[in-house]
Amino acid sequence: MDLRQKVTTAFTEKFGSPPPLLVQAPGRVNLIGEHTDYNDGFVLPMAIDRGIWLALRPREDDQVAVHSLDFGETAVFHLSNLQNTNSGWAEYLKGVAWALQADGYTLRGWEGVMAGNVPKGAGLSSSAALELATARAFQQLSGFDWDAAKMAKLSQRAENKWVGVNCGIMDQMISAAGQAGHALLIDCRSLDAQLVPLPPALDGSGTAVVILDTTTRRGLVDSAYNERRQQCEAAAAHFGVTALRDVSIGEFLAEADNLPELTRRRARHVITENLRTLNAAKAMQNADAALLGQLMNESHASLRDDFEVTNEALNVIVTIAQAQDGCFGARMTGAGFGGCAVALVHEAKVAGFVTAVSDQYHQQTSHSPKIYVCHPSDGASAITQN
Ligand code: GLA
């Protein structure tokens, strides 16, 4: 049963009539542009056909009551008295309510049922999906316009300040603004976003985006992530700019020998990754799958050697993927330190690719990967029904 049907059925059983409103928001996979968003740089993610769905109806008071089918729990809170109790998934909803209200929006209460199918903790942004689905629900019921960039920023604020995770803007932006069939080139400083189509293979067949979950997870990802952010800020300070986005490759090379070794490698990753991301968007516009794949491979090497956010499992699965017939390129995706890789694969070769990567990865690591063939999908959306 798909998620839309699942939440509709559960809502109807619980409330005795079908839901007047459905909202959904997707998870994401980033094709290229990793650890660049908090450097005011460029990213190129796409929304995936996995997300969070909510079936709901308005309430007359300021209470929000949501039953999660995945957790088998109901969260209840009041918009006029939001309390942070560090209680897991409900804090994402409360955090979005808090951020919207703090920005001056007047919100209305609602009740409903939710379900999702973004694997949690895999680096595919299940939390951004939950935030943007919540923002969509409030937007529909409280009657204000959907401004994707603004909703992304407020959802990011909820995650930074209410949930306490210091993420950049990428995940919320793509979940808010994705479009079917496309990836989105996002300028993380201006939040300008440009749609770019997935390139076809040379013979005119389609290409597929395949997510390879190593199923390895590292603890302390937050502190490793924050450490990288600090290293980037130190590098920007060395150049006297607000963010590494402002350092050209020429300026970097002229100064490279004067930088401490670690700062040099961190900065080199970010500066070259921004260039690769802009080139990747051009390659996609030119229908050049081979060049996009090559840039993905280069991105992985930079994340492994200069930024040091891969682990052994990611390196193994990427090496296996890159060696397969029909694979244009592969790299780790998301924050790293475990989690997922992404590969661009000739559509006709996908089935063989999935079997070969799965078998070889299992042989080499004894982990069983989870593999998802994904389609670029729409960002947060709403369906009203009478
Ligand atoms: C996580 C963060 C994003 C981004 C990536 C790395 O997914 O949530 O903001 O920084 O890591 O590119």
Side-chain angles (χ1 to χ4, degrees):
M1 192 177 3
D2 70 12
L3 286 179
R4 176 178 174 169
Q5 214 183 328
K6 186 171 171 183
V7 294
T8 301
T9 306
F11 182 100
T12 310
E13 272 169 23
K14 193 174 169 71
F15 297 102
S17 56
L21 178 63
L22 291 161
V23 297
Q24 71 80 32
R28 64 97 187 91
V29 64
N30 189 21
L31 296 179
I32 194 163
E34 217 63 83
H35 289 275
T36 46
D37 63 351
Y38 55 80
N39 290 293
D40 279 3
F42 299 94
V43 294
L44 192 44
M46 65 177 219
I48 58 175
D49 44 347
R50 286 177 169 265
I52 307 266
W53 279 78
L54 270 165
L56 61 147
R57 68 179 184 189
R59 286 179 60 100
E60 293 310 320
D61 57 13
D62 80 339
Q63 180 177 300
V64 174
V66 191
H67 181 73
S68 162
L69 295 173
D70 303 322
F71 293 98
E73 289 167 9
T74 303
V76 179
F77 56 89
H78 292 271
L79 293 166
S80 55
N81 182 25
L82 294 169
Q83 306 279 346
N84 195 332
T85 50
N86 282 322
S87 57
W89 61 273
E91 297 308 333
Y92 292 90
L93 291 104
K94 288 191 228 168
V96 170
W98 164 78
L100 286 167
Q101 292 190 133
D103 202 65
Y105 290 95
T106 304
L107 303 182
R108 183 166 181 183
W110 48 271
E111 57 198 356
V113 172
M114 76 175 215
N117 59 2
V118 188
K120 286 168 206 63
L124 301 175
S125 297
S126 56
S127 41
L130 180 50
E131 289 152 11
L132 271 301
T134 305
R136 250 303 183 197
F138 281 122
Q139 178 262 334
Q140 287 289 309
L141 295 179
S142 311
F144 53 87
D145 288 341
W146 182 254
D147 174 341
K150 185 151 194 206
M151 291 302 119
K153 268 198 211 162
L154 291 174
S155 296
Q156 183 200 16
R157 187 175 302 160
E159 182 141 354
N160 291 167
K161 304 279 188 235
W162 189 275
V163 181
V165 174
N166 204 14
C167 61
I169 190 67
M170 168 168 71
D171 308 342
Q172 288 76 15
M173 254 315 267
I174 186 65
S175 186
Q179 265 195 37
H182 296 82
L184 206 58
L185 175 67
I186 303 167
D187 177 333
C188 296
R189 174 169 282 167
S190 65
L191 296 191
D192 284 346
Q194 202 185 327
L195 291 169
V196 279
L198 272 191
L202 256 190
D203 59 8
S205 327
T207 50
V209 172
V210 185
I211 295 176
L212 309 167
D213 185 351
T214 61
T215 67
T216 62
R217 309 283 185 255
R218 195 193 111 158
L220 302 179
V221 170
D222 283 2
S223 61
Y225 182 87
N226 290 336
E227 183 188 64
R228 295 301 182 288
R229 287 188 72 138
Q230 281 157 15
Q231 291 164 343
C232 291
E233 281 160 23
H238 179 96
F239 285 95
V241 294
T242 45
L244 281 177
R245 144 71 171 273
D246 297 311
V247 181
S248 73
I249 187 76
E251 285 163 342
F252 169 75
L253 291 172
E255 188 60 20
D257 289 346
N258 299 326
L259 288 165
E261 200 261 343
L262 188 70
T263 315
R264 177 165 68 235
R265 286 193 287 123
R266 301 298 190 247
R268 183 166 58 198
H269 166 71
V270 174
I271 294 163
T272 58
E273 184 79 350
N274 276 329
L275 291 173
R276 280 187 290 273
T277 305
L278 292 171
N279 285 336
K282 277 190 209 134
M284 290 171 82
Q285 271 143 358
N286 295 334
D288 192 342
L291 179 54
L292 172 60
Q294 185 194 318
L295 291 162
M296 290 169 74
N297 293 345
E298 288 170 11
S299 169
H300 185 81
S302 179
L303 288 155
R304 182 192 58 211
D305 302 335
D306 277 349
F307 217 64
E308 296 178 287
V309 290
T310 66
N311 67 355
E312 185 56 19
L314 280 166
N315 295 334
V316 168
I317 211 162
V318 164
T319 304
I320 295 169
Q322 288 171 345
Q324 301 307 313
D325 182 32
C327 178
F328 294 98
R331 56 182 286 279
M332 61 147 270
T333 186
F337 313 105
C340 295
V342 60
L344 185 71
V345 183
H346 190 297
E347 211 169 36
K349 303 281 172 77
V350 169
F353 174 86
V354 169
T355 313
V357 172
S358 187
D359 290 351
Q360 291 178 32
Y361 177 71
H362 182 70
Q363 264 167 21
Q364 290 185 35
T365 65
S366 75
H367 298 300
S368 299
K370 292 209 168 76
I371 302 189
Y372 311 100
V373 181
C374 286
H375 302 280
S377 302
D378 281 331
S381 60
I383 302 164
T384 45
Q385 1 186 63
N386 296 315

